[in-house]
């Protein structure tokens, strides 16, 4: 059974720093991996989707990488801003069903 | 486009009561999903649908029912609510699986006392 883990659960960094959020998963037979952002009291916004055949995806200051062999994905945020403060969740989708399996998220605080 | 809309935003139920959480999308997406999120946890899939008239169970379906009579609507029914169903419920939709992102509604915060 797939398990997705995100460490740390919370992270606080000064504005302007580059940072990396981690996501690990136990079953490498994934269809894709997605990174989402969740703001308090709001829904989730998809940030990046990496298909199993891809190694990375980029959107603006965000770069997500995928290493299926080691069961890891990272989300790199460049030049962090206070507006990046949110909870970031990763989720994997397996070949066998339509279910996204989610990590518990990393709560990110960017200090001005 | 309104995207994915959910009603109500908040609800308090007593144990044993029933209710329906509404979800609608105006993007003509075939795939729709219901998730629940407990505090400090990731999301868990309750039910999903791959098109009108087609639904299937997710990871945690017990105590819930769904229907999909139209492409736009995907209501979630709670029968005999229990305190364990206290959670935030999210509806989502996507054009297709895997290669297309899921779009989420703002959520319904449900408390069962």
């Amino acid at each position: 059974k797939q398990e997705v883990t995100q460490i740390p659960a919370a992270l606080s960094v000064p504005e302007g720093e580059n940072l990396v959020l981690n996501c690990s998963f136990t079953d490498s037979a994934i269809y894709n991996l997605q990174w989402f952002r969740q703001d308090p009291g709001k829904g989730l916004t998809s940030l990046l989707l990496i298909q199993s055949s891809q190694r990375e995806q980029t959107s603006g200051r965000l770069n997500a990488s995928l290493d299926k062999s080691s069961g890891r994905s990272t989300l790199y945020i460049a030049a962090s801003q206070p507006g990046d403060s949110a909870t970031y969740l990763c989720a994997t989708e397996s070949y066998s069903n339509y279910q996204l399996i989610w990590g518990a998220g990393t709560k990110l605080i960017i200090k001005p | 486009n309104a995207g994915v809309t959910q009603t109500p935003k908040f609800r308090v139920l007593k144990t044993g009561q029933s209710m329906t959480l509404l979800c609608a999308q105006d993007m003509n997406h075939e795939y729709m999903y219901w998730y629940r999120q407990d505090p400090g946890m990731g999301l868990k899939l309750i039910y999903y649908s791959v098109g009108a008239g087609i639904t299937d169970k997710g990871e945690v379906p017990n105590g819930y029912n769904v229907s999909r009579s139209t492409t736009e609507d995907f209501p979630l029914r709670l029968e005999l609510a229990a305190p364990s169903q206290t959670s935030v419920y999210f509806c989502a939709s996507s054009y297709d699986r895997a290669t297309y992102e899921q779009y989420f509604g703002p959520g319904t915060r449900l408390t069962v006392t």
Side-chain angles (χ1 to χ4, degrees):
Chain A
K1 180 183 176 184
Q2 178 75 283
E3 293 183 4
V4 179
T5 304
Q6 293 184 252
I7 296 173
L11 182 63
S12 180
V13 301
E15 180 179 4
E17 281 199 4
N18 302 324
L19 60 97
V20 174
L21 305 181
N22 297 299
C23 173
S24 61
F25 47 94
T26 55
D27 184 354
S28 62
I30 60 172
Y31 208 6
N32 63 45
L33 184 143
Q34 301 183 47
W35 282 93
F36 292 84
R37 170 184 173 139
Q38 184 174 27
D39 293 284
K42 297 186 179 180
L44 287 80
T45 302
S46 178
L47 297 173
L48 290 163
L49 182 153
I50 311 176
Q51 297 185 44
S52 62
S53 58
Q54 298 174 324
R55 295 298 301 267
E56 66 177 340
Q57 283 284 352
T58 298
S59 176
R61 294 183 293 109
L62 305 180
N63 176 277
S65 68
L66 175 64
D67 183 347
K68 288 197 305 177
S69 61
S70 66
R72 293 189 60 189
S73 176
T74 61
L75 179 67
Y76 175 82
I77 302 177
S80 59
Q81 304 170 358
D84 295 330
S85 297
T87 297
Y88 291 81
L89 297 101
C90 67
T92 64
E93 182 171 357
S94 70
Y95 282 100
S96 59
N97 58 47
Y98 296 89
Q99 297 192 28
L100 282 177
I101 305 299
W102 296 75
T106 295
K107 183 175 182 178
L108 177 64
I109 297 173
I110 307 298
K111 298 175 288 187
Chain B
N1 285 350
V4 180
T5 58
Q6 292 184 239
T7 53
K9 287 187 171 52
F10 303 94
R11 184 71 185 268
V12 178
L13 283 181
K14 293 188 188 320
T15 297
Q17 289 184 320
S18 300
M19 76 165 295
T20 299
L21 280 64
L22 300 179
C23 173
Q25 53 91 9
D26 61 0
M27 297 174 282
N28 203 33
H29 286 170
E30 290 294 326
Y31 291 71
M32 295 189 74
Y33 314 83
W34 273 106
Y35 296 94
R36 61 176 287 173
Q37 185 179 33
D38 298 326
M41 307 289 285
L43 281 70
K44 292 189 184 296
L45 183 66
I46 304 171
Y47 271 95
Y48 65 95
S49 170
V50 301
I54 307 170
T55 63
D56 206 350
K57 297 177 181 179
E59 187 179 359
V60 290
N62 291 344
Y64 307 94
N65 277 299
V66 294
S67 60
R68 184 97 182 270
S69 56
T70 67
T71 299
E72 294 79 17
D73 300 298
F74 191 40
L76 177 71
R77 177 81 177 164
L78 279 72
E79 304 282 1
L80 300 175
S84 60
Q85 294 178 302
T86 294
S87 190
V88 181
Y89 291 83
F90 289 103
C91 178
S93 72
S94 65
Y95 179 74
D96 198 349
R97 68 172 296 202
T99 55
Y100 293 89
E101 63 185 302
Q102 291 190 16
Y103 291 82
F104 281 77
T108 293
R109 187 174 296 273
L110 176 67
T111 302
V112 183
T113 62

